[in-house]
Amino acid sequence: MRISKVLIIAAIMTLLGCSGSDDGNSEAVDSRYKVLFNYEGDVVFIGDQTNKVIFESFSIDYYLSILGYYHDASTNSLYFIARSDFYSGFKLHHINLQELFETRDYYYSVTSVDINYNSDDYLMSGAMMESENRYHFIVTEDDYNILLKTYENGSLVETHNLTTTFDFVNFGVEGIDYLQASNKLVFIQDVFNSSSKKTSIIDLSTLNLIGEHTSFNYNYFGSFGNEQDQFLIGRRESGFEVHEYLTDIQGNIISNNTDSYSFIGRASIGYDANDNAFEYFVEGDAREEVGTINTTTGELIKEGIEGEPHSRNSPIFYFTPN
C-alpha cells in the first residue's frame, strides 16, 4: 500500500508539472500579436490568441502627442508622426516591430526624419497617413480658409482649399477624421441656424465629395472601418442618460447603447483581416478588456486580458513575427 501511495503521489506531481509547463509556455500559443501605443509612444504587445500581455517597451523620446500612424505589415514597420513640444517641428518616426519583438528592450529608440511643416499653419486635424511617404494635414492659415496640405517624403507637394471647393467653413467643426483603409476624410460641422450637423465624406484619392448627409446629429467620438465598410460613433445625452450610437458612414443607426460599460467611443479599434472582424481594446473606467464588435447589431463579445496593458489610444495593429 505504501508503494501504491508513492506512485499515486508521483503521478499527481508529474501531471501538475506538465500543467505548470504548459502555463509557462502559453506565449508559444500565440502566432500573432496585437500592438498598441499610448500618446507618449510607449508600446505593448498582447497575444492575439491568449490575450496575454507579452511585454511592454517605453519610448526613450518624449512626444507631446502622436498625430497619426501607418503600419506596413509586409516589413513589420510602424511609422508615426509626432512632435516633442509646441515649439519643435513634426517628425516622421519609424520602429521595426520585428527587431523590438526579438530584443524586448525596456526602452526603445526610433529613426526619425524631419517634416517641413509650416509653423504658422494652425493644425486642425491629426496626420492622415496614406503611407510612410505620403500624408496629409488639415490646417488654416487665416482662421477662415480650411486647407488640405499633402506631403511626400517630408516636403509639401499639394495644397487644396476645402473652403472654396466644398464650402467647408471654420465654424462649428464637430469632427475631422481619417479612415485609412478606404482613404476617406470625414468632416462634420454644425449647420448654420439649425440643430443639425452635416457630415461630408471625401475620397482623398480623387479629392471628390462622395457623400453628404445630416443623419449623424451626435457629439462625435470617432470612426473605424476597413476598405469596404466604415462606421461612426457618437454620443448624446437624453433624459439625464448618455446614449452612445454606432452608425454606418451614412448615419444610419446600428445600435443605441446606454450601458457605459459597453461604450467604445474611446476604445482602440482595429480590423483583423484574418478573422474578418473589428476588434477593440479598452482600459479604464473599471474596464480592462478586448473583444469583437458585431457591426450588424453593435453588440460586443467581451474577453479579459491577462496582465497589465495600461491605457492605450492608438488603433490596434496586428503583428506576425517572421
Side-chain angles (χ1 to χ4, degrees), residues 48-299:
D48 188 47
Q49 286 78 29
T50 63
N51 292 332
K52 176 183 177 181
V53 174
I54 306 303
F55 76 99
E56 187 176 11
S57 185
F58 300 87
S59 172
I60 290 177
D61 301 305
Y62 171 79
Y63 304 113
L64 184 66
S65 63
I66 296 179
L67 300 176
Y69 299 87
Y70 177 76
H71 178 216
D72 186 344
S74 65
T75 61
N76 282 330
S77 294
L78 197 289
Y79 302 86
F80 63 89
I81 292 175
R83 60 180 171 182
S84 300
D85 52 54
F86 287 112
Y87 309 102
S88 61
F90 294 121
K91 293 187 176 184
L92 174 68
H93 304 282
H94 168 243
I95 305 171
N96 186 300
L97 296 180
Q98 180 68 37
E99 291 179 2
L100 183 57
F101 182 78
E102 291 173 355
T103 60
R104 308 203 178 187
D105 292 332
Y106 188 77
Y107 290 104
Y108 77 88
S109 59
V110 298
T111 57
S112 306
V113 294
D114 292 330
I115 298 173
N116 297 320
Y117 180 85
N118 185 349
S119 60
D120 292 331
D121 286 350
Y122 178 79
L123 184 65
M124 297 181 65
S125 72
M128 299 174 283
M129 300 187 66
E130 286 190 42
S131 69
E132 71 273 24
N133 299 317
R134 183 177 170 88
Y135 30 89
H136 315 270
F137 299 99
I138 292 182
V139 305
T140 182
E141 297 175 338
D142 55 13
D143 293 330
Y144 177 77
N145 288 290
I146 297 176
L147 308 177
L148 174 72
K149 292 197 171 185
T150 301
Y151 289 75
E152 291 183 356
N153 299 312
S155 298
L156 179 65
V157 294
E158 295 176 309
T159 299
H160 297 281
N161 191 318
L162 302 182
T163 299
T164 57
T165 305
F166 302 112
D167 198 28
F168 292 173
V169 296
N170 193 9
F171 168 80
V173 177
E174 291 288 330
I176 300 174
D177 217 341
Y178 176 57
L179 291 156
Q180 188 179 70
S182 57
N183 202 25
K184 291 176 181 175
L185 167 66
V186 176
F187 194 96
I188 303 173
Q189 63 183 136
D190 293 336
V191 176
F192 181 70
N193 204 24
S194 169
S195 60
S196 299
K197 304 179 192 295
K198 182 175 72 173
T199 299
S200 303
I201 306 155
I202 296 173
D203 182 348
L204 288 183
S205 300
T206 61
L207 209 67
N208 289 329
L209 182 68
I210 58 174
E212 196 169 70
H213 61 78
T214 56
S215 302
F216 187 87
N217 293 301
Y218 319 108
N219 295 320
Y220 182 68
F221 267 77
S223 65
F224 64 95
N226 56 19
E227 191 172 353
Q228 291 77 33
D229 302 298
Q230 299 87 42
F231 306 91
L232 307 177
I233 304 169
R235 292 182 190 173
R236 184 169 63 191
E237 185 173 335
S238 176
F240 303 102
E241 191 171 43
V242 177
H243 295 243
E244 183 174 88
Y245 298 87
L246 175 66
T247 78
D248 62 20
I249 198 169
Q250 299 301 328
N252 300 306
I253 295 176
I254 295 171
S255 66
N256 174 1
N257 183 19
T258 57
D259 177 9
S260 62
Y261 291 102
S262 294
F263 284 179
I264 56 171
R266 300 196 185 280
S268 295
I269 299 175
Y271 175 64
D272 185 344
N274 285 14
D275 296 334
N276 189 27
F278 290 100
E279 297 185 327
Y280 72 94
F281 163 87
V282 172
E283 199 278 340
D285 296 329
R287 295 172 68 189
E288 186 176 275
E289 67 194 45
V290 293
T292 303
I293 305 168
N294 184 325
T295 53
T296 302
T297 64
E299 294 179 311

